[in-house]
Amino acid sequence: MAPPWVNSLKPSGPQGSELLAQERAQSNIPVGKLSEFLFTKEVLDRQDKILNTLKADKVFDKSQNYFDGREERFQTALARQKRLRQLAVRHQWTKDEYMMASELISEPGPYGLHVSMFLITLRDQGTPAQHELFLKKAENYEIIGCYAQTELGHGSNVRGLETTATWNSDDKTFTLHSPHLTASKWWIGSLGRTANYAVVMAQLMIDGKSYGPHPFVVHIRDLKTHEPLENVHVGDIGPKFGYNTMDNGFLLLNHVKIPHINMLAKFSSVDPKTNRYVKPASASLVYGTLTWVRSTIVLQSGGVLARGVTIATRYAAIRRQFQDRDAKEDTGENQVLNYTMVQVRLLPLLAATFALHFTGRGMMELYQENQKKMAGDAGKVASTGRGPSPEELFPSTDLLADLHATSCGLKALASTTAAEGLEVCRRACGGHGYSSFSGIGSWYADYLPTTTWEGDNYMLTQQVARYLLKSARAVLTGNPSENDTTRIFRAFLSRRDMGAAFDVLGRDEDIVAAFAWRTSFLTFEALKHRDEDKNSWNSLLVDFWRLSTAHSQYLIVKNFHEALHSKSIEQDLDPETVALMHKLFRLYALHTLEREASEFFSSSAVTVRQIQLARTKAVMKLLEEIRPHAVRLVDAWHFPDWQLDSSLGRYDGKVYEDLFHRASELNPMNALTIDPYPESEVLVKKDDRERFKSKL
C-alpha cells in the first residue's frame, strides 16, 4: 500500500474535474432530456434501480476484473451468472430488466447462449409438446443449454456442416454422429464447461439422402454429476483474443441416439409413420430468428461504440499536450480535444453513435411490424376454419426478404463501424489507451467476434447484393414489389439520363437522395456486369461488398434523417438541441461521403467541387460547431462509471488519480517480492497476494 506522502499528491495543472466542469458549462444541451429521448425515462429509472442492486452485492465487485487470469475470471463470471439468476427470481425481473443487468455487468457469461440462442430456438422452432418437454425446464434452469452450429471445418457455410442425424425407421430414433475431426462443433458459447444440453445443427439423413441442416436437442452431460454422457466428447476450446469469461466449447458425438421428439419440428419434421420428410411450408421461415438476432446487433452497435467514444472524449478533454503554436500568449498546454486531428477522428464517431442508434431502433420497429402483420394474416386465415396454404399463411415473403437483406447489410456495416471505431477511440487515448484500465481494450476484444458470428460481415454482403440485383431485375421487367428499394431504383432510372445534381451542401434531403442515387448506380452497374457481361459471381464479390456497404450507408443516413423529422423530436427536445442533432446528421453523412468520394463522383451524384467543399469547408466547420457540446453529448448516453469500469472515462474527471490507484492499490503484482539475480534459482522471495486481496 502507498505511504501517506504518495496519497497526498495531486495531478499538476487544472484538475480533471475542473476541466470537465468547464466543458459542461460551455454547452446548454439538456443532458437529461436528450437521454430520455434516446432511451425513455422508464428505461433510465430501471437502469438506476438495477445498478444499485448490483453494486450492493459483493459478487459483482469489479476491482479485480483487469488482474485475474482466465480460470479465475471464468469462475467469477459463473458466480455472477448464478447470482443474476437468483436476483431475477427474487425480484421477478422481466426479460428487459435481466438484459439491463447483463449490460451493466458488461461481460460475456457462461449462461449467455442459454439465455439467448438456446431459449429462442426452443421457443421459435419447437412444437407445443417440445415446449412442454424442453422449454419449460430450460426457462426454469433445470437444464442449461447452448446452440451448436459452427464446426471446426465449417462456419458461414451452414449447408456444409458435417455432423449427421440419421433417421432410424426401425425404432423411430435419430443417430447423431461426428464422422470427421472437422465435424467437431467449435466456438459454441456456454458449451465448454456449463451446458448439459445442446441444440445441435446436423444434416438430416433419411435412407442415405441428405435433407440439409436441422436442429436436434441433444443431452450431453449428466444432470447430477455434470460429467459427459457416453460417446460424448466435450470441452473448452482454450484462451481467445477476448471473450474469456465465456466457455466456448467443442463437441464430438459418436453414434448418439436420441428420440424422435428431439428434432425441433415446428417447421419441418420426419413423419414416424411414413418415414418421410415433411418440409417447411415456406423457405422464408428461416429469416425470422436470424433477422431478430441481426436487428438486435444493429440496435446495440450504437451503444457499443458510444461507450468507447464516451471514454475517449472525456479523456481528450482532460489530457493536455503541447501549446497552441498560434497562441499570442502562454496559455499552458492545450486540451487534446482542441486539436482538429483528434476531432476528425472522434466527432464523426460521436455522430455515428446516434446514427446507429436511430437505425437500430427503426430496424427493430420494422421487424416487429412485420411480425404483427404475419400474425394478423395467419389469424385471418385461421378464422376461415380451413387449413391455410403456404401462400396464405406466409404472404409477406417479399417483406421478409427485404427485412432479411436489410438486417444482413446493416449487421455487417454497424458491427464493423463499432468494432473499428472502438480501436480508433483507443488510439485517440494515446499511450494510456493501451492500458487495460482505459476500459476500451477489453470491451473491444469482447465485441470483436460480433463481426464474424451470425454471418461473417464480408459473406453477408453477398446476400444483400443478391437481393438488390433481384429487385433491380424486377424493376426493369415492370413487376417490382412496393418497397423503398424499388422506389429509389425507379427514381434513378427516370433521371439517369438527365444526371443528378444534388445540393448535398445545402439540403439534408439532397444528402439522402445522393446516397440513394449512389446505391442505385452501383446496383445497375453490378447487374450489367452479371447479366450482360456474364462475369462470374466470384469475380464480382468485391463489387458486391461495395454495393452492400453503399446500400447500408444509405439506410443509416435515411433512418437518421427520418428520426430528426419525427414528431417526437420536436416535442421532446428544445430547438437548440434539435439543431445540434441536425449538425451531427450532416457530419456523419458528409464525412462518409468524403471517404467514399470516388463512388459518389463516378455515379454523378456529386461534383468534384462539392467533394472538395465537403472536406475543406463543411466537415471542418461542423467539427468546430459540435466541439463545445462533445462532453455533454456523450453524457447523454448515460453510462454509469460502474459500467464503464474505466480510469480514463470517469464522469468526475479524476483520470490520473484512478489510474494510479488501480496500479498501486489494486494490483496483486505489487504484492510479490521477487529475486532479480540470474545466479539465484529463487523466483519469488515473498508472496503477499492473499493478504493483499483480503484487504481489498
Side-chain angles (χ1 to χ4, degrees):
M1 298 298 177
W5 65 268
V6 171
N7 294 330
S8 66
L9 294 174
K10 291 184 178 180
S12 63
Q15 300 300 294
S17 55
E18 297 171 344
L19 290 167
L20 285 190
Q22 292 171 15
E23 289 289 329
R24 293 176 176 122
Q26 68 182 345
S27 171
N28 294 322
I29 297 303
V31 172
K33 287 289 186 182
L34 184 52
S35 297
E36 289 180 12
F37 176 71
L38 292 173
F39 306 109
T40 75
K41 187 176 186 302
E42 178 188 358
V43 170
L44 297 176
D45 289 344
R46 180 197 306 156
Q47 183 190 74
D48 292 341
K49 179 181 177 182
I50 292 175
L51 177 63
N52 290 331
T53 300
L54 297 177
K55 289 172 69 174
D57 199 314
K58 65 180 182 180
V59 76
F60 300 113
D61 171 54
K62 296 187 176 186
S63 63
Q64 290 299 296
N65 273 12
Y66 294 130
F67 301 107
D68 285 344
R70 189 186 173 220
E71 289 79 9
E72 293 109 330
R73 290 222 60 198
F74 171 72
Q75 291 181 46
T76 299
L78 179 59
R80 289 171 178 170
Q81 294 272 272
K82 290 188 174 188
R83 186 63 178 146
L84 201 59
R85 168 62 184 170
Q86 294 164 7
L87 290 172
V89 173
R90 176 191 299 177
H91 297 291
Q92 296 182 314
W93 281 348
T94 63
K95 180 183 176 182
D96 288 340
E97 288 171 324
Y98 183 92
M99 294 306 296
M100 174 72 74
S102 297
E103 289 174 7
L104 288 168
I105 295 169
S106 297
E107 68 181 13
Y111 288 168
L113 268 288
H114 174 83
V115 173
S116 58
M117 289 302 293
F118 187 65
L119 290 179
I120 290 169
T121 306
L122 291 178
R123 184 193 67 213
D124 291 354
Q125 300 194 42
T127 63
Q130 290 169 329
H131 288 173
E132 192 69 29
L133 183 61
F134 301 118
L135 182 58
K136 285 188 176 180
K137 292 178 181 178
E139 289 175 335
N140 292 326
Y141 285 69
E142 295 169 26
I143 60 175
I144 310 295
C146 61
Y147 181 80
Q149 177 169 292
T150 300
E151 295 178 351
L152 189 58
H154 286 89
S156 298
N157 183 17
V158 180
R159 291 182 180 274
L161 294 179
E162 298 173 27
T163 304
T164 57
T166 302
W167 171 246
N168 305 308
S169 58
D170 53 346
D171 60 359
K172 311 303 179 186
T173 63
F174 296 98
T175 298
L176 275 289
H177 184 57
S178 309
H180 312 288
L181 184 64
T182 44
S184 173
K185 295 300 178 182
W186 200 266
W187 286 112
I188 311 305
S190 305
L191 173 65
R193 307 310 302 160
T194 308
N196 45 40
Y197 269 78
V199 170
V200 176
M201 291 296 290
Q203 299 282 357
L204 173 61
M205 306 294 295
I206 304 175
D207 294 330
K209 179 182 177 181
S210 174
Y211 289 83
H214 287 72
F216 298 85
V217 180
V218 183
H219 187 186
I220 57 174
R221 285 186 173 101
D222 187 273
L223 296 185
K224 292 184 178 179
T225 67
H226 203 60
E227 295 293 335
L229 298 180
E230 186 178 1
N231 291 317
V232 173
H233 186 53
V234 60
D236 182 88
I237 65 170
K240 305 167 292 271
F241 184 81
Y243 227 72
N244 283 305
T245 47
M246 171 68 82
D247 55 327
N248 295 85
F250 62 80
L251 174 67
L252 284 166
L253 303 169
N254 183 34
H255 300 287
V256 174
K257 275 197 173 187
I258 60 172
H260 172 263
I261 198 171
N262 284 39
M263 177 183 175
L264 295 180
K266 181 176 182 179
F267 301 131
S268 58
S269 61
V270 175
D271 188 327
K273 296 179 180 178
T274 64
N275 300 314
R276 291 183 177 177
Y277 177 63
V278 181
K279 65 181 182 180
S282 170
S284 62
L285 289 170
V286 298
Y287 294 160
T289 302
L290 287 172
T291 302
W292 179 84
V293 172
R294 289 168 183 158
S295 299
T296 301
I297 290 173
V298 177
L299 181 64
Q300 294 171 340
S301 62
V304 167
L305 178 58
R307 187 162 164 164
V309 174
T310 297
I311 293 169
T313 300
R314 286 176 180 168
Y315 178 61
I318 294 167
R319 183 72 167 181
R320 295 176 301 123
Q321 294 284 289
F322 308 107
Q323 292 183 337
D324 186 341
R325 291 194 176 196
D326 297 321
K328 295 180 179 179
E329 57 185 47
D330 186 1
T331 56
E333 290 184 296
N334 201 13
Q335 289 168 279
V336 169
L337 192 54
N338 288 335
Y339 293 107
T340 55
M341 197 64 241
V342 174
Q343 293 173 17
V344 80
R345 286 183 283 165
L346 291 183
L347 298 187
L349 289 178
L350 174 59
T353 64
F354 292 97
L356 292 173
H357 176 78
F358 293 127
T359 300
R361 204 160 68 180
M363 184 75 227
M364 289 303 280
E365 288 173 358
L366 198 61
Y367 170 77
Q368 289 162 2
E369 177 187 326
N370 179 67
Q371 292 299 103
K372 289 180 181 178
K373 179 171 172 41
M374 288 182 66
D377 291 339
K380 290 177 184 178
V381 173
S383 66
T384 65
R386 60 177 172 78
S389 68
E391 292 74 17
E392 289 175 318
L393 187 56
F394 307 105
S396 309
T397 301
D398 290 334
L399 179 56
L400 272 171
D402 184 53
L403 275 172
H404 174 65
T406 300
S407 67
C408 285
L410 286 176
K411 182 269 178 183
L413 179 60
S415 59
T416 296
T417 301
E420 293 179 352
L422 287 174
E423 172 62 7
V424 172
C425 291
R426 187 196 65 76
R427 293 177 65 181
C429 292
H432 290 324
Y434 194 65
S435 169
S436 291
F437 304 152
S438 75
I440 299 179
S442 58
W443 183 240
Y444 167 73
D446 284 349
Y447 183 74
L448 200 54
T450 309
T451 63
T452 301
W453 66 36
E454 304 308 332
D456 173 82
N457 283 1
Y458 289 101
M459 292 290 296
L460 282 179
T461 60
Q462 293 185 56
Q463 300 195 42
V464 182
R466 185 180 293 112
Y467 168 76
L468 292 175
L469 295 186
K470 181 179 179 181
S471 298
R473 291 188 189 101
V475 169
L476 290 174
T477 57
N479 188 33
S481 302
E482 287 299 322
N483 56 45
D484 181 68
T485 302
T486 56
R487 180 188 63 78
I488 66 170
F489 286 173
R490 288 198 300 269
F492 171 78
L493 291 175
S494 68
R495 293 182 57 185
R496 181 166 55 177
D497 295 334
M498 297 180 289
F502 296 112
D503 182 14
V504 294
L505 299 178
R507 287 167 43 87
D508 288 358
E509 293 80 3
D510 276 23
I511 293 176
V512 179
F515 274 79
W517 184 274
R518 168 193 172 216
T519 295
S520 302
F521 173 82
L522 293 176
T523 299
F524 285 100
E525 282 291 294
L527 186 65
K528 176 181 178 295
H529 294 322
R530 179 62 174 166
D531 289 3
E532 295 180 25
D533 302 339
K534 304 299 181 182
N535 287 324
S536 68
W537 187 264
N538 185 53
S539 69
L540 295 173
L541 290 183
V542 177
D543 289 345
F544 292 159
W545 169 73
R546 289 176 177 149
L547 171 57
S548 175
T549 301
H551 179 59
S552 300
Q553 288 171 340
Y554 156 67
L555 291 173
I556 291 176
V557 168
K558 173 175 171 285
N559 275 279
F560 199 172
H561 183 261
E562 289 177 349
L564 298 185
H565 288 81
S566 64
K567 291 182 180 179
S568 61
I569 193 170
E570 301 290 345
Q571 296 170 351
D572 298 340
L573 298 177
D574 62 279
E576 183 181 353
T577 305
V578 173
L580 181 59
M581 297 302 291
H582 280 274
K583 290 177 182 178
L584 288 168
F585 163 78
R586 285 192 285 275
L587 178 59
Y588 174 80
L590 293 177
H591 185 259
T592 302
L593 185 151
E594 176 199 344
R595 288 187 294 116
E596 311 286 359
S598 64
E599 292 177 1
F600 281 94
F601 174 70
S602 63
S603 68
S604 299
V606 298
T607 64
V608 172
R609 182 59 177 161
Q610 286 176 312
I611 294 170
Q612 290 173 331
L613 290 174
R615 178 178 62 82
T616 60
K617 300 293 184 183
V619 169
M620 298 308 295
K621 188 172 188 297
L622 287 166
L623 294 178
E624 181 183 350
E625 292 173 344
I626 293 169
R627 159 68 184 90
H629 307 285
V631 169
R632 278 186 173 264
L633 284 170
V634 298
D635 287 349
W637 281 91
H638 202 73
F639 289 111
D641 281 347
W642 192 83
Q643 181 181 13
L644 290 179
D645 197 14
S646 166
S647 295
L648 307 188
R650 286 178 63 107
Y651 183 87
D652 62 9
K654 293 185 177 180
V655 168
Y656 300 118
E657 298 94 323
D658 196 71
L659 273 171
F660 199 87
H661 172 72
R662 289 177 189 251
S664 175
E665 306 299 308
L666 301 182
N667 186 358
M669 181 75 81
N670 291 324
L672 291 176
T673 302
I674 61 112
D675 186 322
Y677 301 107
E679 295 83 3
S680 171
E681 294 184 359
V682 176
L683 298 178
V684 178
K685 286 188 172 184
K686 186 170 65 173
D687 186 344
D688 281 341
R689 284 177 297 176
E690 290 304 318
R691 185 170 62 86
F692 176 85
K693 288 186 177 182
S694 68
K695 287 184 178 181
L696 294 179

